[in-house]
Amino acid sequence: MIIKDVSLETVCGITSAIPENEHMEFAFAGKSNVGKSSLINGLMNRKALARTSASPGKTQTINFYHINGQLYFVDLPGYGYAKANEEEKAKWGKMIENYLHRSRQLKVVFLLVDIRHEPSGNDRLMYDWILHQGFEPVIIATKLDKIKRSQVPKHVKMIREGLKAVKNTVIIPYSAMTKQGREEIYALLDSYLEEQNLPEQNLQEQNLPERNKEEEDTDK
């Protein structure tokens, strides 16, 4: 995937209606300060379009980034911020739930988990909740550059077991510093774009013999 055009198209607050987009949506969920904005900026090849903050819990909206006129990255509010009051947490949770229920174009939920640590209780709850909504999340293990290369398989296993991930769950280690893991994510996005184009291609292939027959009849 080559990123040519990116724009922040829609920002949804607590009372906002979820937009009815025509293109596929790929959502990003994760606890506060896990590196979600850094990942989205890295994928978009932008330094600061998705705002990062040293203070966790700042993202209180759902942000829709239109990519190449083909798809959307959807930045969901961070969860698990300890200093947020229960009312705020409930509102953010309702926003996410509302989006997962109402979006007609959502294809994949990327769940970000810090590769350095065992998944938190909130991580496990979010993973199970996404499954319950009918999606099988792709796990992005962030902060890859913070551990040694030799530790990666052990930590990936730790995350898989900690989440009690279903069989064949995809886990992609990612570094915001080196962008390692970005090509794997691009490949997954490309596979969905290719799949979207298949019906039209198949229709053309199915109609091809009929067109040839018509041409033969004309020749006669």
Side-chain angles (χ1 to χ4, degrees):
M1 172 173 283
I2 299 175
I3 304 297
K4 297 179 180 179
D5 181 65
V6 175
S7 63
L8 174 58
E9 185 172 286
T10 308
V11 176
C12 290
I14 293 169
T15 59
S16 302
I18 299 299
E20 295 185 4
N21 293 318
E22 296 181 357
H23 297 137
M24 293 184 294
E25 298 171 3
F26 298 86
F28 296 81
K31 66 183 180 183
S32 300
N33 226 21
V34 74
K36 186 156 50 67
S37 295
S38 295
L39 168 65
I40 294 172
N41 281 326
L43 293 175
M44 297 190 301
N45 279 331
R46 301 294 188 272
K47 290 185 178 181
L49 186 55
R51 290 180 295 175
T52 59
S53 174
S55 302
K58 289 295 183 182
T59 303
Q60 301 179 24
T61 56
I62 300 177
N63 300 330
F64 291 77
Y65 298 92
H66 204 187
I67 313 296
N68 290 348
Q70 293 178 299
L71 56 89
Y72 288 90
F73 289 165
V74 184
D75 186 5
L76 301 176
Y79 59 82
Y81 181 45
K83 292 185 180 180
N85 61 45
E86 293 303 317
E87 184 179 356
E88 288 177 320
K89 292 178 183 178
K91 287 179 179 178
W92 300 345
K94 192 66 177 178
M95 287 173 64
I96 297 173
E97 181 180 16
N98 184 47
Y99 169 70
L100 293 181
H101 275 310
R102 293 184 178 275
S103 173
R104 297 181 180 180
Q105 295 292 351
L106 179 59
K107 301 302 179 184
V108 175
V109 180
F110 292 100
L111 177 60
L112 280 64
V113 179
D114 192 327
I115 197 171
R116 298 173 296 177
H117 312 297
E118 289 189 19
S120 67
N122 282 322
D123 291 329
R124 291 191 292 271
L125 284 173
M126 179 58 72
Y127 177 81
D128 291 340
W129 189 61
I130 294 170
L131 282 177
H132 183 70
Q133 302 303 315
F135 298 95
E136 187 172 319
V138 172
I139 310 303
I140 307 297
T142 62
K143 304 184 187 292
L144 176 61
D145 49 280
K146 303 296 184 181
I147 64 173
K148 296 178 180 178
R149 182 179 299 180
S150 61
Q151 296 177 307
V152 173
K154 175 184 176 183
H155 283 245
V156 168
K157 181 181 179 182
M158 176 182 70
I159 289 173
R160 187 180 298 278
E161 292 178 349
L163 292 174
K164 295 182 180 179
V166 298
K167 187 177 181 180
N168 298 325
T169 294
V170 176
I171 300 179
I172 303 175
Y174 178 80
S175 167
M177 181 178 294
T178 67
K179 304 301 184 290
Q180 184 175 339
R182 183 167 63 177
E183 292 306 317
E184 287 88 338
I185 300 172
Y186 281 165
L188 190 150
L189 297 173
D190 283 336
S191 71
Y192 276 89
L193 290 172
E194 291 168 6
E195 185 178 313
Q196 178 181 247
N197 294 329
L198 281 179
E200 181 179 350
Q201 294 173 359
N202 289 340
L203 183 60
Q204 292 173 351
E205 291 171 1
Q206 290 170 6
N207 291 337
L208 185 58
E210 187 65 29
R211 289 200 302 269
N212 289 342
K213 183 177 183 300
E214 291 173 358
E215 290 171 2
E216 291 174 2
D217 291 340
T218 302
D219 292 340
K220 291 177 181 178

